[in-house]
Amino acid sequence: MSDDHTHVQEFFSARAADWDTRFPDDGPAFEAAVAGLGLRAGDRVLDAGCGTGRALPALRDAVGPSGTVLGADLTPAMLEAAVRAGRDRAGALVLADVTRLPVRSASLDAVFGSGLVAHLPHPEEDLRELARVVRPGGLLALFHPIGRAALAARQGRQITPDDLRAEPNLRSLLNRSGWHMTSYTDEDARFLALAERRG
């Protein structure tokens, strides 16, 4: 994948207006994934590639009014959809490339990424960038509201051994990027990998 994100922006721009209506039942899965992060009141968290901001209300609930919630996305149309849905009230929205974040090093407690890995042009480098902005011991959640097999079936494709989200591949990728995987779940109803930022 090239560093030119035009194709990603075009893909999501074309789908932004009806993205939430295409997946109306994902709310509880997002809430459960956010709960898995174990955030505390006052924590600082980034939703990387936040799209229409479906995770932002749950992230806000988890960190409370004293916490900080940021939502970063590359596609203006997705952020506009988040504003229309009122989710900008749950967190500050930033038009930004998650591979080059305008965030200070070690300034966050956690990063949440839904459907993110498949869209990273250079996964190892890009996950290292997410590690840069998280304090040592901070957390990463890589989430999808359905598991790998269910997603492949939805897309009419087969899972291949080189799938980045396969447990051994993802564990190795995270290790090379400054993270240590602490939990891995791949079920029909959700995919959730949790990792801790190494010191």
Side-chain angles (χ1 to χ4, degrees):
M1 197 179 291
S2 74
D3 289 321
D4 179 4
H5 297 302
T6 304
H7 64 289
V8 174
Q9 288 177 311
E10 289 174 351
F11 177 89
F12 286 107
S13 291
R15 292 161 176 80
D18 68 344
W19 188 260
D20 289 351
T21 59
R22 292 175 64 199
F23 308 106
D25 302 322
D26 287 350
F30 274 85
E31 292 166 10
V34 168
L37 266 174
L39 295 167
R40 296 169 299 196
D43 277 353
R44 298 153 299 174
V45 61
L46 167 70
D47 185 355
C50 67
T52 62
R54 292 184 293 169
L56 296 179
L59 291 169
R60 171 55 65 199
D61 288 346
V63 303
S66 64
T68 299
V69 178
L70 301 174
D73 202 273
L74 187 67
T75 306
M78 292 298 260
L79 295 178
E80 290 162 10
V83 171
R84 283 194 303 274
R87 297 184 184 125
D88 56 322
R89 293 190 296 271
L93 299 176
V94 180
L95 180 64
D97 181 350
V98 300
T99 70
R100 291 185 296 277
L101 287 163
V103 176
R104 288 193 326 271
S105 297
S107 61
L108 301 175
D109 297 294
V111 172
F112 182 88
S114 175
L116 180 66
V117 173
H119 299 291
L120 296 176
H122 304 288
E124 184 174 336
E125 294 172 29
D126 302 336
L127 287 169
R128 194 174 294 124
E129 169 66 359
L130 296 182
R132 178 189 68 79
V133 301
V134 173
R135 63 171 174 78
L139 302 174
L140 170 69
L142 297 175
F143 166 72
H144 202 283
I146 60 175
R148 293 187 311 127
L151 181 62
R154 177 190 286 177
Q155 297 173 340
R157 61 176 177 82
Q158 298 290 319
I159 296 177
T160 60
D162 62 347
D163 180 2
L164 280 179
R165 294 191 308 149
E167 193 275 340
N169 299 341
L170 186 58
R171 182 179 297 278
S172 175
L173 174 62
L174 288 166
N175 282 338
R176 297 192 310 270
S177 305
W179 299 97
H180 168 70
M181 186 188 290
T182 58
S183 174
Y184 181 90
T185 303
D186 183 16
E187 305 166 338
D188 281 349
R190 74 168 177 165
F191 174 90
L192 180 63
L194 299 176
E196 183 176 296
R197 171 74 166 92
R198 294 203 305 265

